[in-house]
Amino acid sequence: MSKRAYFGTDGIRGEANRHPMTAEVALRVGMAAGKLFMSQDDRRHLVVIGKDTRLSGYMIEPALVAGFTSVGMDVRLFGPLPTPGVAMMTRSLRADLGVMISASHNAFSDNGIKLFGPDGYKLSDEQELAIEARMDEGLQQNLADPSSLGRVQRIDDSQARYIEIAKATFPRRLNLSGMRIVIDCANGAAYKVAPEALYELGAEVIRVGVNPNGFNINQECGSTHPAAMQKAVKEYRADLGIALDGDADRLVVCDEKGQVVDGDQIMALIAGEWAKRDVLRGGGVVATVMSNLGLERFLTTRNLKLERTQVGDRYVMARMREAGFNLGGEQSGHLILSDFSTTGDGLLAALQVLAVLKESDKPMSALARQFEPVPQKLENVRFSGGKPLENEAVKQVVADAEQRLTGSGRLVIRPSGTEPLIRIMAEGDDEKLVNQLVKEIAGAVKKAAA
């Protein structure tokens, strides 16, 4: 695959107003993607755009709009809406393209652009490369005639539509009456829709992180800072806590005692329930190389399989589509329920957990540990340039570590797709060994990166 100049593992992302997250790049994305997704027929072509609550959204959105309208595409603006909502509405409105402006769980100072095709799925690597190629062409070509410029309209009921779609995924025979739920929206894209959906399904809702001001997205709240959710759960004696990230495509859950339940345990919980009801397709679950070995063992005991992909929910989704799975996700809480959504959706995943909770009549703490996790150690090493993983000394340390883990664990070492980090993960039955190996590899990487 060619080297990508703009797109990472999840769209284009970076510090706002610094390359590549500038108004100029956004303009070029609009023009290039617009040209690529406009067919030759003379109908009006449509792109829909949603965003989270970052200050820089006010800069990126109009630049994209200018790009799309200049090549003759009509634009519909949703305002703040979760990433999965934008994916759903792309299909629902029969748009040619969907765009989400968000840097997900990153700080407010970053932003990003994610693109969805007319089917609501994230674009393939090939499509992203085709957009990149056009972005660097002369942009004075293929501009629309003055009479063919695109029109722009704001869609006021997009949030209400998403709430209705979300509620429809909850089993009809159930409601949430009698349940007290903490929802932390990370001051992000779901700050209106998530609490509203839970309330309309009958829950008593305690809202956290629902006052965005452009700067406070993911700040000491949301799925990357679960302490805010945990504190509220204990304070209000809630049955469950749900924390979403900035664009609401992932979640972290905590039980009534404030103990965090990670994405692997949630996948195990939903897989077990769906298998029991005979609605789990594909014979198992798709997850990434980062998912715990304990999840794999849990599924094996139920005659289910775990298929692994590289990191990134788009790769999970691609494998799910290829092989007919309807449940997949990442340990970090990106859960994809493909019967309902084309991408990770924190609210829909939370609703499935709540359905199991309601059916079981047990507290969340009794359901939270579906399997015993294998000790896992993760360390991130920041580097400023070069390719430390290609260093011979690093390669040797990694090869030694792999040998020492043979048969009793796994090693995953990879560069982050969104930040200048090397992520080092080891897991195995011997916790001491796992910690030791990560320490050795991190030391070698730091030395090589110095």
Side-chain angles (χ1 to χ4, degrees):
M1 195 174 76
S2 322
K3 176 87 179 84
R4 287 145 31 128
Y6 297 101
F7 287 90
T9 52
D10 200 11
I12 301 172
R13 195 180 289 189
E15 191 179 357
N17 225 16
R18 303 283 179 275
H19 186 82
M21 241 18 259
T22 60
E24 188 204 350
V25 170
L27 175 74
R28 285 172 177 271
V29 170
M31 295 172 87
K35 286 177 197 171
L36 189 67
F37 279 82
M38 283 174 74
S39 51
Q40 295 313 304
D41 54 29
D42 58 3
R43 66 182 174 86
R44 301 298 302 173
H45 291 82
L46 178 66
V47 57
V48 297
I49 303 177
K51 61 179 180 177
D52 64 22
T53 55
R54 291 160 212 271
L55 178 65
S56 54
Y58 290 113
M59 171 188 75
I60 303 295
E61 184 184 67
L64 282 165
V65 168
F68 285 120
T69 53
S70 73
V71 295
M73 265 193 139
D74 289 338
V75 182
R76 300 283 180 274
L77 299 175
F78 295 147
L81 194 70
T83 290
V86 173
M88 288 170 186
M89 301 287 274
T90 304
R91 268 205 309 201
S92 162
L93 293 174
R94 293 175 61 191
D96 298 281
L97 193 62
V99 185
M100 178 66 182
I101 305 166
S102 175
S104 194
H105 57 276
N106 290 21
F108 92 94
S109 50
D110 288 351
N111 215 331
I113 299 170
K114 298 183 201 189
L115 301 173
F116 296 94
D119 54 4
Y121 289 96
K122 287 183 181 174
L123 300 190
S124 66
D125 291 339
E126 292 70 32
Q127 287 170 313
E128 288 181 347
L129 281 168
I131 290 170
E132 288 201 350
R134 287 172 183 253
M135 281 171 71
D136 292 330
E137 283 174 2
L139 293 176
Q140 301 312 313
Q141 298 138 20
N142 303 328
L143 292 178
D145 296 329
S147 60
S148 305
L149 289 167
R151 293 172 181 268
V152 188
Q153 194 183 335
R154 199 162 280 286
I155 301 285
D156 293 325
D157 69 343
S158 57
Q159 296 179 333
R161 282 185 181 213
Y162 174 70
I163 289 168
E164 289 308 316
I165 293 168
K167 281 161 56 185
T169 68
F170 193 70
R172 270 220 160 120
R173 62 187 182 280
L174 301 174
N175 63 48
L176 295 175
S177 62
M179 293 198 81
R180 184 180 292 176
I181 300 165
V182 167
I183 176 85
D184 179 348
C185 300
N187 292 314
Y191 79 100
K192 281 185 184 168
V193 292
E196 205 51 48
L198 294 169
Y199 174 77
E200 290 181 16
L201 285 167
E204 181 187 341
V205 182
I206 289 119
R207 301 164 193 239
V208 177
V210 291
N211 297 299
N213 61 13
F215 301 96
N216 60 2
I217 188 168
N218 301 313
Q219 190 183 344
E220 302 301 317
C221 59
S223 61
T224 41
H225 300 279
M229 161 188 68
Q230 292 166 292
K231 180 171 178 273
V233 164
K234 289 181 193 164
E235 198 177 318
Y236 293 95
R237 296 198 178 103
D239 298 297
L240 183 79
I242 300 158
L244 304 172
D245 67 340
D247 67 337
D249 65 352
R250 73 187 235 194
L251 87 160
V252 167
V253 167
C254 78
D255 66 20
E256 76 285 359
K257 297 174 182 173
Q259 291 165 330
V260 167
V261 187
D262 77 6
D264 284 344
Q265 296 285 0
I266 295 170
M267 274 189 278
L269 179 69
I270 297 172
E273 178 66 18
W274 284 11
K276 205 164 68 188
R277 298 214 325 264
D278 206 25
V279 293
L280 185 71
R281 293 204 316 272
V285 174
V286 179
T288 74
V289 289
M290 302 303 282
S291 273
N292 196 283
L293 199 52
L295 174 61
E296 201 168 320
R297 291 173 180 172
F298 166 87
L299 293 168
T300 305
T301 60
R302 283 156 180 75
N303 294 322
L304 299 169
K305 60 189 172 193
L306 180 69
E307 289 215 8
R308 293 185 185 271
T309 69
Q310 68 191 91
V311 171
D313 62 337
R314 58 196 288 220
Y315 301 111
V316 172
M317 187 75 236
R319 183 65 196 138
M320 287 170 71
R321 290 177 82 185
E322 265 166 41
F325 290 84
N326 62 348
L327 176 62
E330 299 188 277
Q331 188 186 46
S332 60
H334 274 120
L335 268 71
I336 303 170
L337 316 168
S338 65
D339 291 348
F340 309 127
S341 181
T342 54
T343 186
D345 190 319
L347 177 60
L348 300 198
L351 289 175
Q352 288 304 310
V353 172
L354 286 163
V356 179
L357 193 57
K358 197 76 181 170
E359 292 267 57
S360 72
D361 212 21
K362 291 176 182 167
M364 188 63 206
S365 55
L367 301 174
R369 214 167 177 80
Q370 293 287 305
F371 62 84
E372 207 47 54
V374 170
Q376 198 176 60
K377 174 78 174 165
L378 177 65
E379 190 169 329
N380 294 323
V381 179
R382 194 164 284 276
F383 67 101
S384 53
K387 296 183 176 175
L389 292 184
E390 289 175 19
N391 178 283
E392 286 308 318
V394 172
K395 284 183 182 173
Q396 188 55 53
V397 173
V398 170
D400 290 348
E402 277 173 341
Q403 202 167 358
R404 285 157 74 188
L405 270 178
T406 307
S408 68
R410 298 183 310 125
L411 199 57
V412 180
I413 299 157
R414 62 180 189 92
S416 162
T418 54
E419 298 171 86
L421 297 173
I422 301 292
R423 303 194 190 277
I424 302 157
M425 191 276 278
E427 66 176 354
D429 296 315
D430 181 345
E431 189 167 6
K432 203 172 169 188
L433 175 65
V434 164
N435 290 339
Q436 180 63 31
L437 295 179
V438 169
K439 194 176 169 186
E440 287 172 14
I441 296 165
V445 171
K446 281 174 191 163
K447 208 170 174 182

